[in-house]
Structure formats: C-alpha cells, structure tokens
Amino acid sequence: MKNEISIVIPTLNESENIIYLFQKIQEALSKSKLTWSIVFVDDSKDDDTSEEINKIRQSNQNVFLIRRYNSMGLSSALIQGALSCDSKYIVFMDSDLQHPPIKILDLYDKIVKDKYDLVSASRFIFKNNLLNKRRYKISYLVNKILKKFFKINYNDILTGFFIVEKKFFFKHSKNLSSAGFKLLLDLVISSKKNISYSEIPFDFQQRFKGESKLSNKVLIDFVLLVLDKIFGKILPARYIIYSVVGLTGVFFQLLT
C-alpha cells in the first residue's frame, strides 16, 4: 500500500542518534492513522550509523537505507532520498533531533488542509532561546539578505525541516542543484513563480548527540548554491569561484 508520507533523513556519523530518533518519530506518528516510511540516506565514513539503521530495519519494514560511499553533500542526499519515495508527501528533517518529530503531524495537517505545495517549520516566527546567539544572528541576517535579493516572503528560507507534495517536488527536481546544503532555498527559488507555501513555528532543539556538521566546506557549498541560482544559466558556479580565487592570486603576486 502506498504510504501517505515518507520522511527523508540524511545521516553523517549519527550512530548515537538513530535509535532515539526513530523512537520519537514512531511515538509522534502513532497518534495518527497515517501510513508512513523513513528513508535514511547515509554518507558516513564508517559502518556504525548504517548498522544502527539496519537494527531498526530488522523489525520495521517501513524503514529503508540508501548507503552512499562517496559523500556528495547534503542536498544531493535529500534529492536522492526523495526521488526514491513512493508517497503523496515527503518530509525532510535532520537526524540530530534539533527538528522535533512531534511537528511532523503539524506540517502534514497544514499542507493537506490548506492545499499548499510546501510547508516549512520556521525558527524565526517566535523568539527561540535555544539557538546559539551567534549562529542565530548569522542565520537571521543571511535569511534577510536572501529574502530581499531573491524577493522571497519567507521567515526562514534556510530551515531543513519541511514537507512538500511529491508531485510538486518531482516536477521541479530537474531544476535543483546538488551543490549546497539548503534544499528549501533551492526548491523555492527554482519554483517561486509556481509555488504556494506556508510556514509553522517550531522550537529549535539542542543537538541530542554527536557534533555539528557545519564546516568550511558546507559554507562553500552554500555559496556555490547561491551563485548557481544567480548565474547558473550563464556560467557554472564553480567556474566563478575558481576565477575569483585565480584573480586573487594574480593580484597578490602583482602586489608583491
């Protein structure tokens, strides 16, 4: 039987979170009559995370694993996981429990009741005291800049917690960039003339276990995504980055 929702969860060295995350999702969705499945897309270097997922799969036929041995970034993991789904709606969320599973039903109710293409969970509708102040300020500032630049009426265009209708996602998936780590931004920009969307508030939680995956590479991938959305039809984003780096080197050589 076709599931009503599929939950796509990317993992990268998150073995300590998997069992607890599944229990919380199961607990949240058991209150409804929804049929659901989880698709884990694992980019971990070791086998620990996939082993934890396989423990769950032994007794749960609605849990699936896509194991990737050449990590290609967060967005590509989400896209690959979504394209494997056979459900009416697709939920995207992180594996560190900063996105509370109890909010999945709120996202689902909103998108079904009001017939939106997409509904996301925003960190910025209400003040959130659990957000790291420095990271909160940076995220808030970047959101404001992106909203103005791309003319997007969104409180939190950088959230990784949202639900989308599968037909809508599949329709626009060919325009998505596998670069970067903010799929929502990519999806909204790629379809902003043909998208109906809304937001619900949620309290951003503290990471349950493990370490944050925010790194210089992730930030570079984010810049690549933005450049690709701006110049992608004219020049590849990586060409622009390499050109800037090359010109900077030439400038300092001449200066020396």
Side-chain angles (χ1 to χ4, degrees):
M1 182 175 66
K2 186 176 181 180
N3 289 312
E4 187 70 8
I5 61 173
S6 295
I7 305 163
V8 177
I9 304 176
T11 56
L12 178 63
N13 303 325
E14 297 285 2
S15 58
E16 295 178 294
N17 294 324
I18 297 301
I19 301 294
Y20 188 68
L21 172 63
F22 175 76
Q23 290 172 346
K24 285 297 179 182
I25 292 175
Q26 192 174 46
E27 180 183 315
L29 297 182
S30 64
K31 299 173 184 177
S32 73
K33 295 181 180 180
L34 285 176
T35 54
W36 54 277
S37 64
I38 300 177
V39 178
F40 288 102
V41 185
D42 185 32
D43 281 345
S44 303
K45 300 297 182 183
D46 55 49
D47 294 331
D48 293 346
T49 302
S50 59
E51 285 177 0
E52 292 299 305
I53 295 170
N54 281 325
K55 287 179 184 177
I56 299 170
R57 295 179 64 217
Q58 289 175 7
S59 55
N60 296 275
Q61 295 183 345
N62 61 336
V63 177
F64 304 92
L65 170 63
I66 298 175
R67 183 78 191 275
R68 308 198 307 174
Y69 293 95
N70 295 311
S71 177
M72 294 171 280
L74 181 57
S75 284
S76 68
L78 292 170
I79 294 169
Q80 186 173 349
L83 292 177
S84 72
C85 295
D86 183 21
S87 58
K88 190 171 182 180
Y89 298 98
I90 303 171
V91 174
F92 298 95
M93 67 185 300
D94 292 344
S95 56
D96 54 16
L97 287 128
Q98 290 183 311
H99 299 156
I102 196 170
K103 282 291 182 177
I104 294 174
L105 286 179
D106 292 340
L107 289 169
Y108 173 80
D109 289 342
K110 184 73 172 176
I111 198 171
V112 171
K113 180 181 176 182
D114 298 323
K115 302 186 185 307
Y116 288 113
D117 297 317
L118 184 152
V119 176
S120 63
S122 169
R123 299 164 290 178
F124 303 129
I125 293 178
F126 299 136
K127 186 177 180 181
N128 192 313
N129 294 322
L130 284 178
L131 281 166
N132 176 281
K133 289 184 178 180
R134 181 171 177 271
R135 186 170 175 179
Y136 178 93
K137 289 178 180 178
I138 293 173
S139 295
Y140 185 76
L141 177 61
V142 173
N143 262 287
K144 289 192 72 173
I145 293 171
L146 291 172
K147 282 168 62 178
K148 280 196 170 185
F149 190 86
F150 290 108
K151 298 179 180 178
I152 300 169
N153 186 26
Y154 240 89
N155 286 294
D156 191 359
I157 194 63
L158 299 179
T159 182
F161 192 17
F162 62 98
I163 187 171
V164 64
E165 187 180 21
K166 186 192 75 172
K167 287 182 180 179
F168 178 83
F169 183 86
F170 277 39
K171 179 181 177 181
H172 296 281
S173 61
K174 61 181 181 297
N175 298 320
L176 298 176
S177 171
S178 59
F181 72 113
K182 293 300 179 184
L183 181 61
L184 176 63
L185 173 65
D186 192 356
L187 187 57
V188 170
I189 293 173
S190 299
S191 59
K192 66 179 181 179
K193 293 181 180 178
N194 304 295
I195 183 173
S196 61
Y197 58 83
S198 185
E199 295 175 282
I200 64 168
F202 85 107
D203 290 326
F204 195 66
Q205 305 296 307
Q206 291 179 325
R207 166 177 272 277
F208 183 63
K209 297 279 188 178
E211 298 178 355
S212 171
K213 305 304 185 294
L214 190 63
S215 64
N216 290 335
K217 181 183 181 303
V218 170
L219 296 176
I220 291 171
D221 285 343
F222 174 68
V223 173
L224 282 173
L225 170 62
V226 174
L227 289 175
D228 183 62
K229 294 293 113 179
I230 299 172
F231 302 108
K233 293 182 180 179
I234 304 171
L235 290 172
R238 290 189 183 277
Y239 176 82
I240 297 171
I241 290 288
Y242 294 151
S243 296
V244 171
V245 173
L247 288 172
T248 303
V250 170
F251 171 76
F252 280 108
Q253 282 188 351
L254 291 174
L255 187 65
T256 302

